Amino acid sequence: MAVVRERPAVTGQGIDRRWLILGVLAIAQLMVVLDATIVNIALPEAQHALGFTDGQRQWVVTAYSLAFGSLLLLGGRINDLFGRKNSFIIGLIGFAAASALGGWSPNFDVLVTARALQGVFGALLAPAALSLLTVTFAGSADRTRAFGVFGAISGAGGAIGLLMGGVLTDYLSWHWCLYVNVAFAVVALVGALVFLPAHQKGSTSKSLDWWGAVSVTAGLFFLVYGFANSESHGWSDASTLTFLGVGIVLLALFVWIETKVRHPLLPMRVLTDRLRGASYLVMLISAVGMFGIFLFLTYYLQQLLGYSPIATGIAFLPMVASIALSASFSGAVLATRYSPRILVTSGLLVSALGMAFLTTIDVDSAYLTGILPGLVAVGLGLGFVFSSAMASSTAGVRADDAGVASATVNTAQQVGGSIGIALLSSVAASAADSYSAEHAVSGDPAVVAQQLAEGAALVSYHSAFWVAAAFFAVGALVSITLYRNEIPQQDADAGPVLVH
């Protein structure tokens, strides 16, 4: 059986098969990204139906992020060793099965188990999709355009999840917020079987770095769990500090192991490259602010302005459109003319300004004048960031490192989101408590209680948005410092391999 390197064939209809592959990969990426938010809007109905407590509620979200974030690097290396197409297909099937189990859930335990299984298969699927994109468009002039589309999906997926969650919850039931993934997976699976070529696997002589896999998986688990624990127990709680400390120690151990083993899980050459290293850090920082706007603006729209779930989802549509527009334009036009240093820094500064604008919201702000400008600005900025940083995160990577490099950028985004949710939730809660303590006044108890609740909620949102704006600003500083003012070269050796 001969192995021949060649560009993907053109279909009989004259459509370059690479773009059909991009469509398949985009569907899979959308499924994984939107699942981080689609369940959020459905949580109140699911809680009422299954009868779990407020304290248990966070685990419906955390179970997914824990499994997903802690297993991504292992999933990426499995991609490289056992084949990207195989990993992609297995990830799709497993994700669909876990989603069907979650939609059927008769009780809380089954729901949380299903969410964890979604994270497990998502950790295999997400790096497979990005690495397949990398090798499909390697050496092509269309690479930046393809990553612009993929970046738009990655950035807008969270907001799309909010919209779909609202529609499905209002018109069907919370169960369909999970069942819908089965439909996505079936479409992507058919496309994968028809259009994806059989890519060459990594060298079979390489053994899996089990010590590295155990240390990084456990380290990321403890780190993400520690941040999640801080939301309910506080940052000074002994368990929170212990989880975070153990996570940091294990990750440090992982780095040491990777410098000693012959075939590391995450070769340091992937991280130490200045372009890729900067991109991973930028993606982590950006995710903090992005998840902040999804979480707290959703609360604001529903709790203070009285929006329904579907109205809340619709309210985010301009942000989705802004991300899609700017990411596509950046990938197709700007990425070949300007360096990531210019594009990413500009995008983060625009996002910071948009988030700062949202700190002006009041208890009766009008959507068109008090919310929409901030949403559009954040969306436009994030589109530039995701398009450029995501493309740069795998630029120049060796073919047998494509999977783990792709997993690393997904890990950065997932860990950043977990940090953002925990940190901003803690900041918001502290701000609300301080406001309530300082503004307690005498009078009609009912009126006072309502005024205090509204004021405390508003202050908590303002505080969260200011911190998110600060993270975007710090990201801009990181971008302008670490990126070189040069346009990245195309990948040299990550081209697709067709097996005949």
Side-chain angles (χ1 to χ4, degrees):
M1 182 171 62
V3 178
V4 182
R5 289 188 178 274
E6 61 181 52
R7 296 182 64 152
V10 177
T11 68
Q13 300 299 319
I15 301 175
D16 191 333
R17 191 170 69 181
R18 294 173 308 162
W19 297 106
L20 298 174
I21 292 174
L22 173 60
V24 172
L25 302 179
I27 292 172
Q29 179 71 2
L30 176 62
M31 182 176 67
V32 172
V33 174
L34 68 80
D35 220 66
T37 58
I38 192 172
V39 175
N40 290 6
I41 287 183
L43 267 180
E45 185 176 322
Q47 183 178 1
H48 177 75
L50 301 183
F52 52 86
T53 66
D54 289 345
Q56 293 174 313
R57 183 174 56 192
Q58 69 162 327
W59 288 105
V60 179
V61 177
T62 305
Y64 179 78
S65 63
L66 271 174
F68 189 40
S70 60
L71 291 171
L72 269 166
L73 286 179
L74 180 59
R77 184 48 84 192
I78 289 174
N79 274 233
D80 293 327
L81 293 178
F82 302 109
R84 292 179 284 268
K85 180 178 179 179
N86 292 337
S87 297
F88 184 79
I89 291 174
I90 293 171
L92 278 175
I93 295 172
F95 201 95
S99 299
L101 176 65
W104 169 79
S105 298
N107 55 53
F108 173 76
D109 292 337
V110 173
L111 178 59
V112 171
T113 300
R115 290 287 286 165
L117 287 172
Q118 282 184 307
V120 170
F121 287 103
L124 189 64
L125 180 60
L130 186 54
S131 59
L132 281 166
L133 180 68
T134 300
V135 298
T136 298
F137 285 88
S140 168
D142 293 322
R143 183 182 190 275
T144 53
R145 183 179 301 172
F147 271 92
V149 174
F150 199 79
I153 294 294
S154 299
I160 294 173
L162 294 174
L163 174 61
M164 290 188 63
V167 172
L168 293 172
T169 301
D170 272 358
Y171 289 103
L172 294 173
S173 73
W174 69 269
H175 301 276
W176 284 94
C177 291
L178 291 158
Y179 283 143
V180 70
N181 289 321
V182 178
F184 281 121
V186 168
V187 173
L189 179 61
V190 172
L193 294 173
V194 173
F195 300 119
L196 286 181
H199 286 80
Q200 186 182 42
K201 303 174 184 178
S203 173
T204 55
S205 64
K206 292 184 179 180
S207 59
L208 188 60
D209 171 20
W210 288 109
W211 286 111
V214 171
S215 60
V216 73
T217 299
L220 288 172
F221 177 89
F222 278 106
L223 191 67
V224 174
Y225 188 92
F227 279 110
N229 191 72
S230 70
E231 184 177 355
S232 55
H233 292 80
W235 292 98
S236 60
D237 181 73
S239 61
T240 298
L241 296 176
T242 299
F243 287 129
L244 292 175
V246 172
I248 292 171
V249 170
L250 286 172
L251 291 177
L253 175 63
F254 166 71
V255 173
W256 180 81
I257 290 173
E258 298 310 275
T259 63
K260 302 299 181 183
V261 298
R262 185 176 181 183
H263 301 299
L265 178 69
L266 176 59
M268 289 297 104
R269 61 180 174 266
V270 174
L271 289 180
T272 55
D273 177 86
R274 183 169 175 175
L275 176 65
R276 293 194 295 270
S279 298
Y280 300 143
L281 192 53
V282 162
M283 290 296 288
L284 186 147
I285 295 172
S286 300
V288 174
M290 181 182 71
F291 278 81
I293 191 171
F294 288 155
L295 180 66
F296 291 98
L297 195 61
T298 297
Y299 287 162
Y300 168 73
L301 292 173
Q302 291 194 33
Q303 293 181 352
L304 287 188
L305 298 190
Y307 282 33
S308 67
I310 188 171
T312 300
I314 292 173
F316 277 95
L317 279 179
M319 182 178 174
V320 176
S322 299
I323 291 175
L325 177 65
S326 62
S328 300
F329 181 72
S330 175
V333 178
L334 301 180
T336 57
R337 303 179 184 180
Y338 301 100
S339 68
R341 185 182 191 184
I342 294 175
L343 296 177
V344 173
T345 302
S346 300
L348 286 167
L349 289 176
V350 171
S351 295
L353 291 174
M355 196 65 80
F357 179 86
L358 290 173
T359 64
T360 64
I361 57 175
D362 206 342
V363 293
D364 57 355
S365 293
Y367 176 78
L368 289 178
T369 57
I371 301 169
L372 181 60
L375 275 178
V376 171
V378 172
L380 289 173
L382 287 177
F384 277 74
V385 173
F386 287 127
S387 173
S388 186
M390 192 163 285
S392 299
S393 68
T394 56
V397 74
R398 290 168 39 167
D400 56 355
D401 290 334
V404 73
S406 303
T408 303
V409 69
N410 279 286
T411 301
Q413 188 173 11
Q414 188 65 30
V415 172
S418 300
I419 292 173
I421 291 174
L423 176 61
L424 298 181
S425 295
S426 179
V427 167
S430 297
D433 290 342
S434 297
Y435 179 90
S436 298
E438 294 173 4
H439 292 80
V441 295
S442 60
D444 186 336
V447 174
V448 170
Q450 181 179 355
Q451 291 175 342
L452 278 178
E454 291 179 348
L458 195 61
V459 167
S460 71
Y461 304 148
H462 288 170
S463 300
F465 291 155
W466 275 122
V467 173
F471 267 91
F472 284 138
V474 169
L477 181 62
V478 169
S479 172
I480 202 169
T481 301
L482 295 184
Y483 280 122
R484 293 187 176 95
N485 193 25
E486 58 188 27
I487 300 173
Q489 297 298 310
Q490 298 292 336
D491 303 295
D493 67 341
V497 180
L498 304 188
V499 180
H500 299 290

